[in-house]
Amino acid sequence: MTENTAPVNKPFIVEDWLLDAKLPHESVDVYKAGELPAEAKTIQRQLNVERALENVDRTSADVSRFAELERRYIQVVGAWAASKITIYVSAIPPEKMRELRVEHDAKHETMIDKALANEIFGYTLLAKCIVGVAETGVEYTDENGDPALYGPVSWAPNTIRGMAKKLGPAQMSELIAARQTAQNALPTVDADFLRKNSGEDTENTAA
C-alpha cells in the first residue's frame, strides 16, 4: 500500500533568491563615423537623379557612373556599421547615487558656474553607470568562459567628456536616456517581438 504524503512546503528564503539578481541594464548603439550619413544622403540624391534618366539614351559612361555610385553606397553603409559600438549601462543603488552626489558637491562647492558643476556630475554619473561595451564583430566571454554580451569597462568622467566632444549631443542624449531608463523605468522584455516581426499580426488582422 502506497502512503500518500503531502508535499512539504519549503520556506522561501528571499536572500537565496536574490543571490544572482542583477540591477536593470539598458543598451544603446553609438557610431563614431558621424560624417558618413551626409555622404550616404548625397549618393542617394545622385542615384535618384540617375534613375530619373533611365528612359533617356544612356552611354556606357552613364551606366558605369551609376554602378560606381551603388558600389560607393554599399561601402559607406558598411563603414557606418563598422563604426558602431554598443554601450551597456546599469542602474546603481540609491545609496550609491547619494554618495556620488555628496562627493561631487563637496569637491565642487566653491565652483561659481553651477551649470558646469552639474555637467561634471553628469559625466561622473554616466561613467559609474557604464558597465560594458561590445564592438562590432567581437565575441565576448565572462569569467567562467561562457558567452557574454559585452566586455566590462571602467571609464573615468573625463573619458565621457571626450566622448561628448567627439560624438555630439544627439548620441550622448541617447546614452543619457538609456541610463535614465535603467535607473527609473520598470524593466520589461517584449515577449511578442518575434511574432510581431514575423507578420503574424498582419495576417490575423487581414483574416
Side-chain angles (χ1 to χ4, degrees):
M1 179 176 178
T2 302
E3 183 178 351
N4 293 326
T5 56
V8 177
N9 290 329
K10 182 180 179 181
F12 178 75
I13 310 299
V14 69
E15 290 81 5
D16 292 343
W17 181 75
L18 288 171
L19 285 175
D20 60 351
K22 300 289 189 297
L23 287 164
H25 283 51
E26 286 290 329
S27 65
V28 61
D29 295 336
V30 297
Y31 299 80
K32 69 176 181 179
E35 81 285 2
L36 290 181
E39 183 177 357
K41 291 171 185 175
T42 298
I43 297 173
Q44 288 174 0
R45 291 192 296 269
Q46 292 171 331
L47 285 170
N48 287 336
V49 170
E50 294 291 332
R51 291 192 183 101
L53 299 174
E54 284 183 354
N55 295 328
V56 179
D57 290 337
R58 298 169 65 81
T59 66
S60 59
D62 294 330
V63 175
S64 177
R65 182 170 62 253
F66 187 87
E68 179 57 32
L69 285 170
E70 286 190 320
R71 281 193 294 270
R72 179 54 189 160
Y73 191 80
I74 292 171
Q75 290 173 350
V76 168
V77 171
W80 173 249
S83 78
K84 180 192 79 173
I85 61 171
T86 302
I87 298 178
Y88 290 80
V89 296
S90 171
I92 58 176
E95 60 270 20
K96 182 62 178 179
M97 182 82 76
R98 289 193 296 270
E99 178 186 317
L100 289 173
R101 183 85 248 186
V102 169
E103 289 178 358
H104 171 82
D105 289 347
K107 186 176 180 179
H108 299 91
E109 62 180 347
T110 60
M111 183 175 285
I112 297 175
D113 190 340
K114 298 305 179 184
L116 178 58
N118 286 332
E119 181 180 321
I120 293 172
F121 180 69
Y123 295 144
T124 300
L125 185 56
L126 195 51
K128 289 295 182 183
C129 291
I130 292 176
V131 294
V133 169
E135 295 181 79
T136 301
V138 178
E139 295 182 357
Y140 297 91
T141 55
D142 61 19
E143 62 273 11
N144 298 318
D146 297 322
L149 282 175
Y150 55 80
V153 296
S154 180
W155 289 348
N158 278 341
T159 300
I160 308 302
R161 182 196 293 270
M163 285 179 57
K165 291 179 179 179
K166 291 287 189 177
L167 299 181
Q171 293 201 87
M172 292 305 296
S173 292
E174 287 291 308
L175 191 52
I176 292 168
R179 184 203 69 75
Q180 292 171 336
T181 298
Q183 189 71 33
N184 301 315
L186 184 69
T188 60
V189 173
D190 187 354
D192 293 328
F193 174 79
L194 293 179
R195 179 175 60 84
K196 288 186 291 188
N197 282 270
S198 69
E200 290 184 19
D201 280 359
T202 303
E203 293 173 5
N204 292 337
T205 301

